[in-house]
Every structure is written in structure tokens, then in C-alpha cells.
Amino acid sequence: MNKLKEFQAMTGYQFQQEGLLKQALTHSSYANEKHMKKHSDNERLEFLGDAVLEVVSSEFLFLNYPDYPEGDLTKLRASLVCEPTLAFCTNELHLGDYLYLGKGEDQTGGRKRKSILSDALEAVIGAIYLDGGFASAKEFILKYILTDIEHKQLFYDSKTILQEIVQAKYTEELNYQLMGEEGPDHDKRFIVEARIGTQVIGQGIGHTKKAAEQEAAYQALLKIKE
């Protein structure tokens, strides 16, 4: 089974125009390397998908959070459609495995890069919208993005939430320790521990120190919640 067919089987959405899906999964590095014609990559579809996602998520939050004022709705929507959360949503789809990347981008960890994953997810939404209309795009968004809201909010706001819990319940302070770096300069990964005083409560790995700290905070929250 080729990768486009496999992706469709997994998501449960069958494209009438498979070319749209291929374009949604095509990163600019691949298009440039293969000298494809202008606008063959997923950037224009990403622009469209971003708008569709905003409408669907706005409607969803409006209907499901009737007591929230506008400011809270805006904040919640931002936490759901931001780059780290969208990249987190792609794990379930194994989206990174299906991307068409240029050799250099592939070798430097592009399949795990949050910006590339979140852009590709928005491009897939744009492609589904063009292929099957608004209802199909909405169904995909509800199935893969607007699920488990509390969990995703926890992921997005993990550092803030952890800070509040530690201040309220512990005498010692929360701190983040950089434990090491791995990989070449162009694809560095930072390993960070979240600690209360000297006690390790979570570990995270990320392409930036900030991303590693967020992951460490998220793991710590999951532990504390248990």
C-alpha cells in the first residue's frame, strides 16, 4: 500500500483528488529539490486550512463553553490551535512518516519538527476542505484536534499550571535543570529536568530549551495528577 493510501485508510477520509493530499504532505524543501512547479508545496493549503480550523474551533468552543466570556474563549482557542498543540495532535496520525521532505530537511530531523508538523496538519485540513467540503474538514478537526481539550490545555499551559501547583503545595521552588545536549548543531536536542528543590519530577527533550522545559513540566503534571 503506498503512503497516500495508507494515510487515508488511517484517517478514515478518502480523497476524490489524491493530488491534493500529496500536495498537503509536500514540504517546500522537497518541492525545491525536485524542481517542482511553483506552488506545488503545502504552503497555500496551510493558509486555507488555518482559516477553516479557526472557524471550526471557534464554533466548537462557542457551543461547548456557554459560560466562557470572549476573552477566555480566545485564550482557549489559542491553546488548541497553536504550533506545539497541533504538532502534539499529529502524533496520533504519525504524520511525520508521511511527509515528502527534501533530503537535507529529512536528515536534520524535519519529520519531528513542530513547525513542519503543525503546518502540514493545517495543509491536510485545507486539502480535505477543497476535496470534500466544509463538513468533511469539520469532521476531521473534531476527530483529531478538538478532542481531549483538558489534556491539550494541560499540555499547552503546563509550565504555568505546574508553577501554580508548586507554589501552592510545596515549600521548595520549582526549577529546570539542563542535563545535556545531543545531536549536531543543526539538529540539537536539549534534555531538561523539572525539579522541586532537588527532587526530579519530570524530564523532557526538545529542539529548544523552552520546548524541553514544557515537555518536562507536562510529564511532571501527569505524575502529580496520578
Side-chain angles (χ1 to χ4, degrees):
M1 193 190 268
N2 76 15
K3 66 182 185 179
L4 293 178
K5 294 267 186 291
E6 200 177 287
F7 185 76
Q8 291 173 87
M10 188 182 49
T11 60
Y13 179 77
Q14 289 301 122
F15 276 82
Q16 312 294 316
Q17 309 167 67
E18 211 172 64
L20 279 169
L21 175 60
K22 180 157 189 196
Q23 187 181 349
L25 298 172
T26 299
H27 187 250
S28 55
S29 61
Y30 182 88
N32 294 337
E33 198 175 273
K34 299 286 181 197
H35 306 295
M36 291 162 81
K37 64 179 196 291
K38 208 175 174 188
H39 305 315
S40 297
D41 62 32
N42 62 9
E43 286 172 5
R44 282 168 54 85
L45 283 173
E46 178 214 327
F47 163 79
L48 180 61
D50 176 57
V52 176
L53 176 59
E54 181 137 327
V55 171
V56 173
S57 53
S58 301
E59 181 200 46
F60 175 86
L61 296 174
F62 181 85
L63 296 173
N64 286 282
Y65 293 82
D67 301 333
Y68 274 40
E70 184 221 2
D72 290 350
L73 288 171
T74 303
K75 207 170 138 194
L76 183 51
R77 183 181 63 198
S79 74
L80 293 173
V81 301
C82 70
E83 183 183 290
T85 314
L86 289 180
F88 185 65
C89 294
T90 65
N91 291 342
E92 190 187 342
L93 294 164
H94 304 288
L95 187 63
D97 299 344
Y98 296 95
L99 297 175
Y100 294 90
L101 293 178
K103 274 205 183 77
E105 195 61 67
D106 200 355
Q107 285 163 356
T108 57
R111 290 185 191 282
K112 291 195 170 78
R113 196 159 287 131
K114 289 189 171 91
S115 56
I116 291 179
L117 289 168
S118 64
D119 289 352
L121 184 61
E122 288 182 335
V124 168
I125 292 166
I128 293 174
Y129 172 75
L130 288 178
D131 187 74
F134 185 74
S136 299
K138 182 175 174 178
E139 194 181 325
F140 178 85
I141 291 167
L142 291 174
K143 188 174 173 185
Y144 292 107
I145 299 171
L146 300 177
T147 52
D148 209 358
I149 305 281
E150 276 179 33
H151 192 82
K152 283 177 182 148
Q153 232 193 325
L154 184 71
F155 172 74
Y156 174 73
D157 289 325
S158 47
K159 282 181 77 176
T160 314
I161 296 168
L162 184 61
Q163 183 69 45
E164 286 167 0
I165 290 173
V166 172
Q167 277 174 343
K169 293 187 177 174
Y170 297 87
T171 49
E172 292 183 287
E173 285 191 6
L174 172 67
N175 62 87
Y176 295 93
Q177 296 290 328
L178 179 64
M179 301 310 293
E181 299 172 17
E182 54 186 37
D185 280 349
H186 59 251
D187 187 31
K188 263 220 186 325
R189 291 167 74 203
F190 298 91
I191 301 152
V192 166
E193 285 181 353
R195 299 177 177 186
I196 299 171
T198 55
Q199 185 197 351
V200 178
I201 52 167
Q203 189 189 59
I205 297 174
H207 282 292
T208 62
K209 282 180 198 159
K210 195 177 166 190
E213 284 175 3
Q214 182 179 341
E215 181 64 36
Y218 175 63
Q219 295 303 337
L221 283 173
L222 295 181
K223 204 183 243 177
I224 288 171
K225 278 198 144 190
E226 277 168 18

